[in-house]
Amino acid sequence: MLTFRNLHNWMKEGFADEAFAGFYRALKPGGVLGIEEHRGQRDGPQDSKAVDGYVRQDYAIALAKKAGFVFVGSSEINANPKDTANWPKGVWTLPPTFALGDQDRAKYAAVGEADNFVLTFRKPLSR
C-alpha cells in the first residue's frame, strides 16, 4: 500500500490515527506500507494539524508504530536540503503551487519542490 503526500491532510482533518489503523486492517501479515510526505523541521514540535503541510519524519514513524507497524527503513530519494520548511504559505509557497504568485517566485523556484521523506513499514507476521 502506498500513499503520497497525504499525511498532512489526514492530520489537518483529524483522522491520521484512523487512516493508519485502516491500513493496518487492510494489509495481510507481512504487508508493506510506503509513505511519502513533506518533511517538517526537526528542531521544533509537530503541529498536530500540520497546517503548513509539513510533517516531522519521527512523528510519521510514531503514528505508524502506534497502529502496529514495524519501521523497515527510509529513503532520501526525494530529499531537498534547500527546503527549510518555514515558508510564508507553508509547503504551497514552493513549486509547483507558488501560493504567493509572482512574489519572490525566482527565489522559491530556486529552492525547488519540498523536501520529502519516504518511509517503509511492514505489518508483523503475527500480533
Side-chain angles (χ1 to χ4, degrees), residues 70-84:
V70 174
F71 178 63
V72 174
S74 64
S75 171
E76 293 299 304
I77 194 163
N78 289 344
N80 178 359
K82 294 180 185 177
D83 178 9
T84 60

Side-chain angles (χ1 to χ4, degrees), residues 39-40 55-62 71 74 76 117 119:
R39 187 186 344 249
V55 179
R56 287 177 52 125
Q57 184 170 323
D58 60 337
Y59 190 87
I61 292 170
F71 178 63
S74 64
E76 293 299 304
F117 59 74
L119 306 175

Side-chain angles (χ1 to χ4, degrees), residues 11 31 44 50 52 55-56 63 67 75 81 85-86 95 97-98 107 112 117 123 126:
M11 291 169 63
D52 63 0
V55 179
R56 287 177 52 125
L63 286 172
S75 171
N86 63 349
T97 306
F98 289 108
K107 170 185 168 181
F117 59 74
K123 182 175 180 175
S126 63

Side-chain angles (χ1 to χ4, degrees), residues 13 15 25 35-36 46 63 91 99 109:
E13 297 301 322
F15 64 87
R25 284 190 307 273
I35 300 173
E36 183 211 19
Q46 174 64 54
L63 286 172
V91 69

